[in-house]
Amino acid sequence: MKTLRIKSNAFNDGMWIPVKYSARGEDLSPDFEISGIAPNAKSIAITFDDASHPIFPNYNHWVIWNIPIREIIPEGIPSGKFVDSLGGAVQGVAYGRNRYKGPKPPLKSIHTYVFTVYILDSKLDLAASCRKRDLIANINGHILQEATLSGKFQSRR
């Protein structure tokens, strides 16, 4: 099986996430380019976590699932439980309630954030009130591939 790869035009892996994609800027989700998707894939799920949160490790900022298989996911996914522009994908409850919520660490601290893309062998029957823990419990045994993209962010104001 091919190796799953994820990249973004917004920032390179391990580098700085631009303010535009943070809660201190326009709070837009970045675009993703996904390559090497398994031929038997049925859907995509994405989580976004603050890997440096001092109190809540891997604090979840965004969770979305049932994205139809595609190689390009555009930036600026609109808020709401269901995303019509992504084939009815479902956004669950995280720091961004049914929406993307970008980085916003305390002033001057540097945090690392991780996007995880899951390629699944099925679509999920989960309510939009579900959280990351519900997603992870339900994709167990359905993950065909997984890849991450990380970036760092520092609040300067």
Side-chain angles (χ1 to χ4, degrees):
M1 187 175 294
K2 293 183 191 175
T3 300
L4 184 70
R5 299 193 192 285
I6 174 177
K7 68 178 192 170
S8 177
N9 291 310
F11 63 96
N12 291 322
D13 189 39
M15 303 308 286
W16 293 100
I17 298 171
V19 172
K20 174 181 179 179
Y21 304 100
S22 78
R24 301 217 185 263
E26 295 175 50
D27 216 7
L28 295 176
S29 59
D31 71 290
F32 300 104
E33 292 180 22
I34 305 169
S35 61
I37 298 172
N40 55 334
K42 301 286 189 245
S43 71
I44 300 170
I46 302 173
T47 60
F48 177 54
D49 303 308
D50 180 348
S52 301
H53 198 288
I55 300 169
F56 305 105
N58 294 310
Y59 186 73
N60 185 238
H61 277 241
W62 185 41
V63 59
I64 184 170
W65 61 88
N66 287 350
I67 300 170
I69 296 303
R70 57 191 324 163
E71 293 182 341
I72 304 291
I73 296 175
E75 78 172 19
I77 293 175
S79 63
K81 294 177 181 180
F82 304 99
V83 183
D84 291 338
S85 61
L86 283 179
V90 183
Q91 294 186 102
V93 176
Y95 181 46
R97 185 172 179 85
N98 303 112
R99 68 183 296 267
Y100 170 85
K101 186 68 170 173
K104 189 182 177 183
L107 290 176
K108 303 202 185 215
S109 65
I110 298 171
H111 282 210
T112 298
Y113 294 85
V114 179
F115 291 93
T116 304
V117 172
Y118 302 93
I119 303 300
L120 308 175
D121 67 1
S122 63
K123 290 186 95 176
L124 304 171
D125 185 20
L126 295 174
S129 59
C130 288
R131 298 180 175 274
K132 178 185 173 188
R133 68 178 170 263
D134 304 309
L135 173 72
I136 298 304
N138 280 274
I139 64 176
N140 209 358
H142 295 284
I143 301 170
L144 296 173
Q145 297 167 291
E146 183 178 333
T148 61
L149 175 70
S150 67
K152 51 192 175 178
F153 189 82
Q154 180 179 26
S155 294
R156 299 180 191 274
R157 54 180 166 98

